[in-house]
Amino acid sequence: MKFVAKVHIISVTSKLFRFFFISLALPKVLSFGKPQINLVFRLLIRTFAAKLIIMEIKKAEFTLSAPMVSMCPKDTKPEYAFIGRSNVGKSSLINMLTNNKKLAKTSATPGKTLLINHFIINNEWYLVDLPGYGFAKRSKKEVAKLEQMIQGYILQREQLVNLFVLVDVRLEAQKIDLEFIEWLGQSSVPFAIVFTKADKLSATKVTQNVEAYKKVLLETWEELPPIFITSAEKKQGRDEVLDYIEDINKTLVSNQ
Ligand code: GDP
């Protein structure tokens, strides 16, 4: 299977060029060859450049909760959805990304979000909180209804440009996640994998687990999807995920 990068032609070179130009070349030009001034300039401008490059969340507002795809917002803005097994840390991640502790409900009760929740970010794009899958303690009928809702959204929502699949970094690759990922591949849905709760392990163990996960994926996939390592607790991975979204948004605007 091949990872589908439908709209994701990321402008890495232009980004690197911008970063190096702003943080290296510009201070040199402005300091007229004086090394001390150059160093101060470089530090100041590097901080400024990082801010320029990484997306700022200026506004994050709840829009609506929909029980089915046909009731989602009538809007054409790009959507980035988040999904994972109950308790994977989805609400915490959404709150961390948006810098808003109350945006998505964080709770220890698994599977509480049972609707498709839309949040409008910076009036530019939607963050979509999908119900968690792997619903323990639910009736067959309820599970079928939720699966239908999730599948309907993922397959029919044209505005969906990327699905973030959340995986707890502490666990071995779970059958239910691998099956879901395989289904995404078969359905040509662009996705990225987000490992959560990285603060719960040592950095070495995180790397080992992620490498082991990649190995499992490569048994079925020719290429790996984009992978992010995050911790809501330590705000790790925030810039990387937002940067990725920003890149896709820019590609979409320039393709219009
Ligand atoms: P959801 O059911 O997927 O929305 O998961 P929640 O965001 O409600 O998180 C489930 C539990 O994991 C809660 O007790 C969170 O406090 C905890 N949790 C989530 N993310 C992190 C993280 O990055 N680090 C740590 N240490 N705990 C986390």
Side-chain angles (χ1 to χ4, degrees):
M1 224 180 311
K2 214 169 164 68
F3 167 64
V4 181
K6 221 173 17 182
V7 287
H8 308 174
I9 303 154
I10 300 175
S11 53
V12 176
T13 34
S14 98
K15 179 166 291 220
L16 283 176
F17 176 77
R18 249 188 305 154
F19 185 80
F20 283 111
F21 175 74
I22 297 173
S23 61
L24 296 175
L26 206 59
K28 224 170 200 137
V29 174
L30 295 176
S31 63
F32 309 104
K34 292 199 177 111
Q36 318 87 302
I37 300 180
N38 184 7
L39 184 72
V40 176
F41 259 130
R42 207 182 289 181
L43 286 172
L44 277 174
I45 290 180
R46 195 164 288 178
T47 317
F48 179 63
K51 284 216 174 313
L52 265 189
I53 286 168
I54 293 153
M55 185 206 305
E56 273 302 316
I57 304 275
K58 295 180 210 108
K59 215 161 122 191
E61 278 173 354
F62 170 73
T63 309
L64 60 82
S65 294
M68 59 183 86
V69 61
S70 58
M71 293 169 82
C72 286
K74 308 274 174 275
D75 199 343
T76 54
K77 293 185 181 74
E79 296 186 359
Y80 298 85
F82 291 75
I83 197 164
R85 291 192 310 138
S86 305
N87 227 25
V88 69
K90 183 166 52 75
S91 309
S92 308
L93 181 83
I94 291 174
N95 293 346
M96 183 269 270
L97 291 176
T98 54
N99 255 341
N100 184 336
K101 281 195 179 135
K102 291 186 189 141
L103 201 68
K105 282 191 189 117
T106 312
S107 101
T109 321
K112 235 182 154 189
T113 28
L114 301 176
L115 296 164
I116 306 167
N117 297 304
H118 276 72
F119 301 92
I120 180 95
I121 312 293
N122 295 347
N123 283 330
E124 284 168 4
W125 56 276
Y126 285 98
L127 188 157
V128 182
D129 184 3
L130 292 174
Y133 55 77
F135 320 94
K137 297 189 200 146
R138 294 208 173 271
S139 70
K140 270 192 178 163
K141 207 172 150 195
E142 270 182 308
V143 172
K145 207 171 138 202
L146 280 165
E147 281 179 357
Q148 202 181 3
M149 180 203 291
I150 294 170
Q151 286 185 12
Y153 174 82
I154 293 175
L155 298 180
Q156 292 164 35
R157 188 73 172 165
E158 283 177 15
Q159 295 87 328
L160 174 68
V161 288
N162 185 81
L163 181 66
F164 290 101
V165 181
L166 274 56
V167 172
D168 189 326
V169 77
R170 295 171 299 173
L171 309 177
E172 272 179 17
Q174 305 282 300
K175 192 165 170 254
I176 189 166
D177 292 324
L178 294 173
E179 280 173 1
F180 180 70
I181 289 171
E182 197 163 328
W183 174 75
L184 291 177
Q186 282 158 0
S187 315
S188 301
V189 177
F191 70 94
I193 294 180
V194 178
F195 288 99
T196 61
K197 308 190 186 182
D199 62 284
K200 292 212 179 201
L201 296 177
S202 69
T204 318
K205 189 73 185 131
V206 166
T207 311
Q208 276 174 3
N209 286 8
V210 171
E211 287 310 311
Y213 208 99
K214 284 183 187 169
K215 230 171 152 182
V216 174
L217 287 177
L218 287 171
E219 286 169 15
T220 5
W221 292 75
E222 283 172 39
E223 274 174 51
L224 290 169
I227 286 175
F228 300 95
I229 299 170
T230 67
S231 155
E233 196 73 24
K234 299 265 184 265
K235 289 207 157 204
Q236 182 188 342
R238 183 175 186 269
D239 292 348
E240 289 78 2
V241 173
L242 292 181
D243 214 17
Y244 176 71
I245 293 175
E246 170 103 315
D247 268 330
I248 299 177
N249 281 345
K250 280 188 185 146
T251 315
L252 293 173
V253 169
S254 64
N255 285 348
Q256 267 173 7

